[in-house]
Structures are given as C-alpha cells and as structure tokens.
C-alpha cells in the first residue's frame, strides 16, 4: 500500500502502544495544567479572593463546616439571614460543594499542611476543571477514540463557556457540578455499553454527588430517562439497558432523597416523573420480553397491543389524578420560564431581574465557544453516521442543551461539554482522515482521483467539516466503522469506487488550516478569560494614568467598616444582590439575600426603597433596620448600581402592593427614566433616590453635578434626609451606608424635629387641630 | 539572664539596711512630663546628697495613680547609660504610693551628691476631653497627675514641668493650699508649650498619709494634640524559623484602635475629601500608617479578614551585611481600608519573609543557633495593650534557651505542628502588656538542631510518596475480577 509520507515500519506494536499511552498521560497532564493555569488570571491580576455574590455564601457556609464540624453545619440555623425570619441553612442548601472543600481542608490539615480554607475554596474550581477535562476525555473516548478524547479534554479545559463559571475564586456549585455531570454521563454510557450494574451504581453514586452539589441535577434526571426512552422507541431495548437504567435509577433516587433539600421531591414533583415513568416502562417492557419468550408471536402481538394501550391510559390518568390531588407538585414557575421566555417577566419579576436568567444573545455563543459553534453540528451529524447507543445520547444531549442554552444565559454551561465532545469528534475525524498516510490505490481512470484530490485540497476550511469528513470517511481505511457505513451506502449504487486523498499538499493545507483554527481558539480563550471572566466583581480594576493597575476597593472598604465599627447585631438593609456579601464580609444580619426564597420579604425591601421617607420609616423600624446600604456608581461611572436596578425593586414591590407602588410613577411624563430636574416627584422622593444623591452635588463645589452613569445633571437642590443619617460613604462613593434614626425622644416626628433643630419655623398653613377640637 | 535576677539577693540586703532615719536629702527634684497621645514620657531627676556613709540604695516613691499607668521604668545616673537595678517594694494595705529601691553603683559617703534620673513611660495616661468630637473638630486631651513628687526624704526644691507638643494648652489647674511651700502666690506658670508647677521649697518627707491628705492634690493639663491617639489592642506576632527555606517568617495580627475622641455624629466622606483637598487633615483621623519593617524582607503580605489591603504600598530595602551597623528599613505605607476616625477599629494581618542569616548566627563551639527575634515593630506613639509573641523553632530543635530584655508576664513552651511535620516543633510563647516604642527590643533564642532532625521532613515525604507508588504498582498488577472473561477482541 502506498503512503503519502514515509512511516517507520520497524517498530514493534508494543512500543507503539506504550508510547501512545505515555503520550496520552503527558497530554492529559498538560491539559490539566492548562485548564488550571488559565483559571488563575483572577488570582494573578487581583488576589486570592472569593468572587461575586453566591460564592460568598458558599464560602461562609464552608467556614462554618470547617470550623464547627459537619453536624453543626447540618443543623445550622442562621438567624442573621432573612432577618427576622432566619434561614435553616442545613436544609436549604446543596451541601456537596461545602462538604467537598471541607474534606479537602481536613485532609490537608491531617497531613499538617496548613492551608487556609479560603485558598481551598478559591482553588476548588480550577482543580475540578482539571478533573472535568479528564472526565470529558473518558466520555469522548467512548464516543470515538482516545485522540478525540484528548481533543475534547483540551477544549473543555480552556473553553470560555466553562471558564466563565470556574475561574479561581468563583466558588459556586457549578465549579464541581460540571465534572460530576460529565462523569455521571460517562458512567451511564459505560454501564449501558457493558450492561454493568457496577457502572450503573457508579453512575448513581455520582448522580447522588451531583444532587448534593447543584440544583441542575434535574438535567441528569431527565437526560438519562430521555436517552433510555429514545433507545426503547428505536427498538433498541436490551438487557444491558435494563440493568444500567434500573441500577442507576433505584440507587440514585434513593441516594438523592438523602439530601434534605431534595427530600421527597424525586417521587413527588413533575420534574422527576419522567425518570420514574421510564423506570416503570422498562419494567413493563422487560416483562413483555419475558412473556414473549413463552407465548407465540401472534398471541403476543395482540396481548402487547391491549396491555400497552391499557397501561398508557391508566398511567396518564394516574398522573393527572395525582397532580390534581396535589400529590405530585405542579410545574414550578422556573420550569415554565424555560418554555416561555416572557413568562418570568410577567409573573415572577425576581427571576427575570437576574441577568443570568435572560435569554442568551447570539454573540455570547461565539464568545463562549468560538469556532466550536461551527464544528459542533458537524460532530452531531457524524454521530448519526454510526448511531451506536451512546451516539444517540450525544445527539439528544446536544438538542436539549442547545435549546436550554438559548433560553437562559446560565444554561450555556450545560451546553458547553457536549459542544466540546461533538467538536472533538468532528475535528478528530477530520484530522484522522488527513493525517492518515495511506493513499488509495491508483485507479485506471485517473481523472476521478484527480478531481477528488483537487476538490478536497481547494475546499476552503470553513466549509462544513462534515462534508470533508464524508469524503474522509470514504477514503479512510476500512478499519473504522464509519468507513464501513459509508462504503455500504455508496456501494448501493454500484461497485465501491476507491476514494481518498492523494499527495502531501492537500493533506498539509487542511491540517494547517485546522491547526491554525485551534491556535486561534487558544488565543481567543485566553483573551476572553483574562478580559471578561476573571473579574472578582467585589474588586474593580481601573488604570492609572501611567498604565499601572488601580484597584477600586469600595465594596470591601464599606463592608469591613460595617464589620469593625458597628454593633454586631445591627441589621443592614440592602437590595438582595448584596445580602450574601454583607453576611460574608461584614458579618451582619441582613433582611434579604441572594437566596430569593421569600418574595414578600424582598418586595418589602423594594417598597421601602421606592417609597418616600415617611412611608419607609415605619417599615424600617418594624424590621429593626439599623443601617441601609445602597450602591451608587454615579461618581465614577459604575453602571451596576442600585439606581439602575431600581425599576426591578419597583416592579417587585408593585407585584405585592399594586395600590401603593406603581411603576409608571417613576418615569417622566414622556416615559423616560431620569434622575435630573425632570425626574418625576415620586422618583425624587423615593428613599433610594434620596440616599444615592444625598450631598452628591456638594462634591462639585457649586458646579452642576453630573451623574456619570446616567450622563445627566443632578438637580441643583440636593435631596435632604430626615429619617436617616449618612453613616459611611466609601472612597469612590460606590457604597453609601445610612443609619436609621431612632424615634425622637420628645415624641415629635423626625421631620419636624429636624426642622426645629435647623431653626426653621413650622409652617402653619392650617389652624392647629387642637383648636378645632375645642370648638 | 537579665541583670535584675543576679542582683536580687543584694537587694534584699539593701532593703534591710534602709532604716527609717533620714540618710539622704533631695537637694532638687525636677519632674518633666512630655505629653503625648497614648504614651506619656515622665523623667524625674533627683539630685541627692547623702547624710551618712556607705549609702547603697535610694528609695523612690511613685503615687498610686502614676504607678498604675506606668508600663516601663528605668533609673540611671545622670550622664551615664547603664541602668541601675530597681526593686519594687511590697505595698502595704492601701498605701497611696509605691516605693522602689534603686541600688547605687557605688556606696555614697557623707555629703557626696549624685543625680539619679528616673525615667518612666506612662500609657493610657491621657483621655480625650471632650470625649466626643466632630469630624472637623480639634482633638483635645487631658492629662492628670499629682502636683508633688513624693519622696521619703526631705526635699529642698521641687519642680514639675509639663510639656505639650504644641504650645496650645487650653487650661491647667491652679493648685491650692500650697502657700507653705511656694515662694510666690501662684505656684504655676505657663510659658510656650510648658506648664511649670513650682518651685516648691523645703518639703518634708512626703510619703506620709498626713502629707498626702493635707497637701497632695491632682492637677489637670488640658491641651490640643495634633496626632491621632493610637492603641494596638492586641498584637499577635508569630515568628517561624525554617532552616530548609533559610527563612524567618514573621506575622503580626494587629487590632488597631483610635483611642482619640469618639466621632460625634457620623462620618461624612464629603467633609473628609474636602479636608484632604485643602490639606487640612483633622488631627484625630488616621488615614495611613508608616511602618518600618526590617531591611531585606521579601514576600510581604498585608491582608485582613476579607482579603488584601489593596491600598497599601511597600518599599523594600536590601539586607544590611551583618558586621555593619545599618539603619535602613523597608517602609510600608499601610493604609487601612477606611480612614480611622476616633473610636474606630481596624484589624489586619501583616507578614513577611526575611533571610534567616540576617537574624541568626551559628556558634561553632557549642553547636547552637542563636536567633534574634524583635518583640514588636515599633509604631511611633502607639501603645500595644496585649502582645502574644510565639517563636516557632525548627522541627527537632532541642535544648532551647532564651533571654528576654525584660520579663514577660507569662512564658510557655509547647509543641506546634505545621507544614508536613511529623513530631512537631517546639514553640515559645511570651505574653506582654502595655508595650511602647521603648520596649521594641529583641528576644534571643538559642537551640540545637541535629542533622537527623533536618532530614526528618524529606524522609517522611519520601516514604509517603514511595508508599503511594508501591500501592499503585500493586493495584495495577492484582486482578480483582470475579470471573475471568474470555478475551473479547
């Protein structure tokens, strides 16, 4: 057989095998290293700090776990959250993440390695991303081969869609969940392939870990049954499927019910019914198979028909009945919002107000996946060519995940692994074809060969890879199953014509193109990671005039001030975004936080913020609020501030008190959202507006003050506060803290007390009511 | 060994020989009080004349109020540097004063004179008055002391000078009922920044209840102070010596407190920024702290409970060779996250690595290492209320000895386990109270480390990893399959 380039022939197969194995190990460790290293931008550019909002709660819970032990954590009732309600943390949290870091922490300390718990938490996500790369390798290996596995591992290691949730410091459930997701799927595929109860149990154990770690476990809960159902409908029922599914479902469901936050949901909510239904269906089908071996085929046909219809009708009725009776919880709002993107905006403003719950904008697909967006469909198509059981899984996964990723930005995360897998399959097929040195035997009609050669070499690289793969597959030596398939389909027309790639130049063009795509991918990933995804958001960065980095540290300044200089039991009210941060950094009780379980409580805060001082004051006093914290970006142009979030507060408050708070009142008559002279009266009198702009224009020394976020001039007359006192303002005015005054000791209302103190005469426009009483 | 221990028996003898008869006369007593924020420096000079032969000790009295404030004292002969041994006498009942016996360097014969300088440092001696002040207000402090310096001997003339750092003294007390000693009607005068009480002539021995009841009286000086009054409520310093890394790691956990007048009302950033803009900082606000760390340090870190203090800067200086006297420092401009106003706290952690050879030497004759450990990093004008200093020696260090410049309130030796230790390291813990810049001296610790102790860590780590590899090897080679399948492909 002729080859395009010389290959050494005097190497023993054992040497090749060992070398390949060594290379794989080296490649995997390098990929792990790259995965970890690219996530360290946040630590190097900033510091080893916990990022954003939710991670602060996880970190706080982990500290409790590490310092007080597991049982204390399990029974932890946190009276400082959701003041005055409190929160049963042990029962309302997915403990997987905290327990993982707690175990790592205790293990390291048992070895006398004094690692700070904060560093364990910060480095957990990068560490697990290395494991994810390995799990993806194992998973893709089942799809195609080791080389595709390595490609997939490299992709998942650096793809921004996953990095966005797993940079160092982003200590959130997703950090470990993606590893668990991929490993559970790997175990499932392995169990399905081998019919192995052992791997089924592994899948169940990792499923349990996943349930303990992330609310997104429902994705597995529905993906695996969907796969099983699809196999069933395709007539691919086998004892392997039966063993794998039942061992996974039985053990996994029982295990998942041990997590207190999940409890009896697996048998009582609609989201979990699919898994249960498929479990039942599999029993029936298995039983039918058994019956079939004992009765004649005609009888069996009739029997099957009757039984399937009866059971189908019965099952549907039972489901409807149980839902109606309330035994099975109906679909939740979050679920509906997955199908109707406008649903949340109308009915659950809290969910809609979170930016990561918005539908994904198309540029973010490219930003998060770059060229994998184009190779992903090719990989999925390639899966169709062979269509083994596991390929069906990838196809289903990619369809479902693509839909969800389009609906919600945060679900991009679940799409990313399958994109990496499918793209790796496509690219690896491409590379296999073009690197493979065997040339097809020279034909009699050379024209054909030349044209094939020409078309493939001139084909632009952006052309659908699947086309090339088709050609490639056709030319590939018959050892791949894909080749068989194509050969079989093409042979229908006539005698198989040998196809393939001649010469080195055509190979080089394609390989070079592919390699440069990969290289650009690396550059893109690095750039996106360092610029977009590595900001801790508690610390902001700007540049000094000389180009050096300047850190804007207002959040921590204010939180630390609260922590050190206020009484330990003083209650801080802020919008819920900052609840976890205040609890974590300032260690003070908060009214509402990022665990948005009580809509009314949040609406109360929204009402207090959006009403006038007189209306808000009784609310504040009733909730024992000592300090009110607002975020104001007007001075340095920090656009994520509370005035920009204000309309959500109004909307959420309006949802509960439609008579008192109306959104249109906060706009100008022209329907504009303004903060300057033309702002509506309600807007100007709202507590949020007053606190944000309190004494702001004095900063400009007589010149008109400009809000740099809204690009509007603030009114000349700044707002005055009667019921609150400014307690602290951070260096760049981002965080402003106000103290709620206590009632006047003389029993006056604070407004008139204030006027009296300022020496203003009380206006007596009306006669004093006392006089009238005498009359 | 500290000197005072050696001279202890001598003191007991000296104390016995001091009988009640007058053996000494004070020709002049001058007390100078240098007012500050949390630290007040009091120097009392006793010019004495012996009335008998072989005078070996001299007794100094401190009023009870002064005694409780005094955190450090030293007696020297004027013009000399060596300090004299001081022995504190037991207090009887509710005496209004405390007596100290100072051992004279050589016995004094009749009519010979000598000047003894008695230096004390008082901490927490001033209080903010008024106790609350607005953000733009001045900071005024009040210092209270007794008008007479007590002495068990008759005194010819006595003066008390109270010096403030700025000439802006608001008020001072006019002592009463002192006509019998004072030459003029007013026994107090003020010139510039100094308030002088006295001169008072021909005082009888004043360590009698009668005198104290009749004449002794408190005087107040109320003055403006331009620097913030700083207190370090708690300082936890841990020093770890590593021979493997040739490194001396020092870590301070500091709780800083502004003990000036508490802030009236609230903090206004606008006013603060206005003050900064016009360069008129309020005297009781601490915006930043300049710390002098040792030269040659590296990997310095400063963080608090929630992360790096990104506002601070460090300029390091290279190490100074050992045989040369160097006064170079690494300068840390430490800026707390927020300006520290009166009554505010700020706690942070500060640490650094330093080359071990800068502070350690090896004695070839005895085979001992000697390490110099500074008790604290001096912060000018601040008092350290409580310090806990832990010195962690290398693993396997034996025969640990130490020498302290002044006795600690408690000393403890225990075992500390860290970084891959198997048996743990000896750790010494010293506790101190009310430290000032004067006490920023060093503790010397010496110990022996054998070669085998040095090798403990690599051997332990090597054994553990070897064990892991062997386990891996075994698990690869043992077949645990229950029933052997025939080969599939």
């Amino acid at each position: 057989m002729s080859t395009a380039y010389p290959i050494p022939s005097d190497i023993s197969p054992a040497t090749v095998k060992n070398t390949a194995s060594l290379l794989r190990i080296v490649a995997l460790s390098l990929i792990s290293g790259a995965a970890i290293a690219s996530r360290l931008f946040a630590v190097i550019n900033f510091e080893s700090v916990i990022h954003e909002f939710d991670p602060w709660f996880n970190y706080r819970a982990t500290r409790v776990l590490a310092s007080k032990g597991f049982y204390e954590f399990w029974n932890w009732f946190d009276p400082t959250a959701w003041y005055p309600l409190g929160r049963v943390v042990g029962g309302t949290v997915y403990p997987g993440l905290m327990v993982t870091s707690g175990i790592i922490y205790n293990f390291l300390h048992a070895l006398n390695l004094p690692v700070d718990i904060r560093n364990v938490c910060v480095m957990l996500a990068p560490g697990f991303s290395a494991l994810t790369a390995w799990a993806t390798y194992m998973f893709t290996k089942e799809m195609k081969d080791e080389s595709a596995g390595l490609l997939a591992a490299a992709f998942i290691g650096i793809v921004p869609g996953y990095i966005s949730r797993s940079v160092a410091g982003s200590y959130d459930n997703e950090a470990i969940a993606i590893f668990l997701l991929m490993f559970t799927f790997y175990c499932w595929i392995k169990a399905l392939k081998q019919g192995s109860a052992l791997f089924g149990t592994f899948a169940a154990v990792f499923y349990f870990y996943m349930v303990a770690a992330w609310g997104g476990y429902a994705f597995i809960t529905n993906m695996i049954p969907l796969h099983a159902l699809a196999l069933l409908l395709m007539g691919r029922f086998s004892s392997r499927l039966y063993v794998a599914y039942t061992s996974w479902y039985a053990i996994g469901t029982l295990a998942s019910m041990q997590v207190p936050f999940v409890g009896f949901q697996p048998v009582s909510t609609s989201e979990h019914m699919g898994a249960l239904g498929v479990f039942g269906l599999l029993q029936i089908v298995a039983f039918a198979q058994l019956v079939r071996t004992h009765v004649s085929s005609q009888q069996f046909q009739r029997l099957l028909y009757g039984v399937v219809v009866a059971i189908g009708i019965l099952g549907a009725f039972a489901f409807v009945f149980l839902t109606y009776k309330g035994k099975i919880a109906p679909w939740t709002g979050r679920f509906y919002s997955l199908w109707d993107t406008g649903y949340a905006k109308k009915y659950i403003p809290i969910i809609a107000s979170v930016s990561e719950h918005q539908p994904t904008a198309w540029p973010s697909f490219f930003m998060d996946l770059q060229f994998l967006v184009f190779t992903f469909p090719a990989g999925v198509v390639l899966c169709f060519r062979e269509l083994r059981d596991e390929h069906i899984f990838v196809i289903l996964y990619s369809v479902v995940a693509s839909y969800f990723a389009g609906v919600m930005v945060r679900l991009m995360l679940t799409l990313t692994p399958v994109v990496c897998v499918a793209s790796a399959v496509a690219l690896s097929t491409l590379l296999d074809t073009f690197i493979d040195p065997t040339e097809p035997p020279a034909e009699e009609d050379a024209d054909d060969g030349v044209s094939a050669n020409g078309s493939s070499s001139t084909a632009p690289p952006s052309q659908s890879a699947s086309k090339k793969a088709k050609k490639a597959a056709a030319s590939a030596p018959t050892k791949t199953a894909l080749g068989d398939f194509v050969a079989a389909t093409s042979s229908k027309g006539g005698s198989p014509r040998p196809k393939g790639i001649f010469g080195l130049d055509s190979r080089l063009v394609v390989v070079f193109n592919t390699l440069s795509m990969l290289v650009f991918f690396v550059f893109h990933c690095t750039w996106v990671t360092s610029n977009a995804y590595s900001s801790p958001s508690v610390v902001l960065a700007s540049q000094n005039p000389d180009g050096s980095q300047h850190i804007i540290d207002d959040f921590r300044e204010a939180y630390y001030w609260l922590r050190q200089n206020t009484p330990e039991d003083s209650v801080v009210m802020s919008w819920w975004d900052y609840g976890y941060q205040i609890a974590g950094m300032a260690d003070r009780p908060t009214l509402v936080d990022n665990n948005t379980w009580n809509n009314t409580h949040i609406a109360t805060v929204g009402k207090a913020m959006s009403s006038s001082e007189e209306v808000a004051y009784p609310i504040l006093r009733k909730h024992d609020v000592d300090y009110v914290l607002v975020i104001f970006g007007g001075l340095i142009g920090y656009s994520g501030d509370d005035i920009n979030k204000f309309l959500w507060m109004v909307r959420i408050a309006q949802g509960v008190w439609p008579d008192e708070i109306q959104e249109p009142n906060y706009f100008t008559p022209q329907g504009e959202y303004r903060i300057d002279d033309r702002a509506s009266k309600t807007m100007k009198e709202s507590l949020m507006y007053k606190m944000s702009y309190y004494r702001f224009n004095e900063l400009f020394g007589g010149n008109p003050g400009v809000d740099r976020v809204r690009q509007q001039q603030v009114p000349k007359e700044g707002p005055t506060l009667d019921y609150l006192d400014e307690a602290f303002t951070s260096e760049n005015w981002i965080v402003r803290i106000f103290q709620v005054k206590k009632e006047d000791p003389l029993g006056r209302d604070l407004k008139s007390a204030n006027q009296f103190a300022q020496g203003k005469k009380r206006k007596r426009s009306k006669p004093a009511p006392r006089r009238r009483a005498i009359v | 060994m500290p000197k005072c221990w050696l001279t202890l028996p001598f003191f007991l003898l000296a104390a016995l020989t001091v009988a009640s008869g007058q053996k000494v006369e004070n020709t002049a007593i001058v007390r100078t009080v240098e007012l500050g924020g949390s630290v007040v420096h009091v120097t009392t000079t006793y010019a004495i004349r012996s009335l008998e032969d072989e005078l070996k000790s001299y007794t100094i009295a401190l009023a009870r109020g002064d005694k409780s404030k005094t955190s450090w004292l030293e007696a020297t002969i004027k013009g000399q540097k060596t300090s004299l041994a001081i022995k504190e006498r037991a207090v009887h009942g509710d005496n209004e004063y405390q007596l100290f016996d100072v051992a004279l360097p050589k016995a004094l014969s009749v009519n010979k004179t000598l000047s003894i300088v008695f230096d004390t440092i008082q901490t927490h001696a001033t209080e903010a008055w008024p106790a609350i002040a607005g953000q733009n207000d001045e900071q005024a402090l009040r210092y209270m002391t007794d008008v007479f310096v007590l002495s068990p001997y008759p005194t010819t003339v006595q003066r008390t000078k109270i010096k403030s750092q700025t000439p802006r003294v608001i008020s001072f007390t006019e002592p009463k009922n002192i006509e019998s000693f004072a030459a003029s009607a007013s026994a107090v005068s003020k010139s510039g920044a100094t308030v002088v009480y006295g001169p008072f002539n021909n005082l009888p021995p004043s360590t009698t209840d009668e005198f104290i009841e009749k004449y002794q009286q408190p005087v107040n000086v109320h003055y403006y102070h331009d620097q913030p009054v700083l207190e370090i409520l708690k300082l936890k310093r841990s020093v770890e010596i590593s021979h493997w890394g040739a490194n001396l790691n020092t870590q301070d956990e500091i709780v800083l407190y502004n003990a000036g007048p508490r802030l009236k009302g609230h903090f206004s950033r606008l006013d603060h920024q206005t003050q900064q803009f016009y360069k008129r900082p309020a005297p009781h606000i601490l915006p930043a702290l300049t710390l002098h760390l040792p030269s040659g340090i590296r990997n310095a870190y400063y963080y608090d409970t929630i992360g790096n203090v990104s506002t601070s800067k460090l300029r390091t200086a290279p190490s100074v060779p050992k045989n040369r006297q160097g006064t170079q420092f690494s300068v840390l401009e430490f800026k707390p996250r927020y300006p520290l106003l009166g009554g505010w706290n700020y706690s942070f952690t500060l640490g650094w690595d330093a080359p071990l050879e800068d502070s350690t030497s090896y004695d070839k004759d005895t085979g001992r290492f000697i390490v110099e450990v500074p008790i604290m990093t001096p912060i000018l004008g601040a008092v350290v209320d409580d310090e806990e200093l832990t010195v962690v020696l290398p693993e396997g260090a034996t025969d640990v000895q130490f020498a302290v410049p002044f006795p600690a309130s408690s000393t403890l030796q225990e075992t500390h386990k860290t970084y891959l230790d198997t048996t743990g390291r000896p750790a010494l813990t010293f506790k101190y109270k009310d430290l000032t810049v004067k006490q920023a001296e060093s503790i010397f610790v010496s110990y022996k480390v054998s070669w085998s102790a040095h090798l403990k860590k690599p051997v332990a780590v090597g054994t553990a990893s070897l064990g892991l590899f062997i386990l891996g090897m075994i698990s690869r080679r043992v077949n645990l399959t229950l029933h052997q399948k025939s080969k599939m492909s």
Side-chain angles (χ1 to χ4, degrees), chain A residues 462-483:
Chain A
S462 62
Q463 200 179 356
S464 161
S466 68
K467 257 191 200 168
K468 272 184 209 155
K470 259 187 226 171
K471 285 196 200 103
S475 71
T478 48
K479 69 172 184 238
T480 64
L482 206 63

Side-chain angles (χ1 to χ4, degrees), chain A residues 248-293:
Chain A
W248 166 75
Y249 182 75
I251 298 173
T253 306
L254 284 178
S256 69
M257 286 163 74
Q258 309 308 312
V259 180
F261 192 32
V262 176
F264 277 92
Q265 280 182 36
V267 289
S268 67
T269 57
S270 306
E271 283 96 336
H272 299 78
M273 280 305 124
L276 183 62
V278 171
F279 181 68
L281 198 61
L282 275 177
Q283 310 304 324
I284 295 165
V285 173
F287 181 70
Q289 293 278 1
L290 184 75
V291 172
R292 189 188 204 166
T293 53

Side-chain angles (χ1 to χ4, degrees), chain A residues 47 112-114 551 553 556-557 560-561 564-565 695 698-699 725-731 733 739, chain B residues 266-271 273 304-308 310 337-338 344-347 417-421:
Chain A
E47 60 183 86
N112 280 331
L113 280 170
I551 300 273
D553 215 350
R556 289 194 296 183
E557 178 188 348
Y560 207 60
W561 178 82
Q564 299 253 317
N565 297 308
R695 295 189 76 184
E698 288 176 45
L699 195 60
D725 255 338
E726 185 188 5
F728 187 84
T729 298
S730 64
E731 196 182 349
W733 291 55
Q739 190 177 34
Chain B
H266 285 297
F267 171 66
S268 157
R269 175 67 62 172
L270 183 70
D271 293 346
Q273 280 170 342
D304 54 29
T305 326
I306 54 173
N308 282 359
S310 57
R337 289 192 189 277
Y338 43 84
W344 285 12
N345 297 301
Y346 184 72
S347 62
K417 271 197 181 181
T418 178
Y419 201 68
L420 292 174
D421 283 352

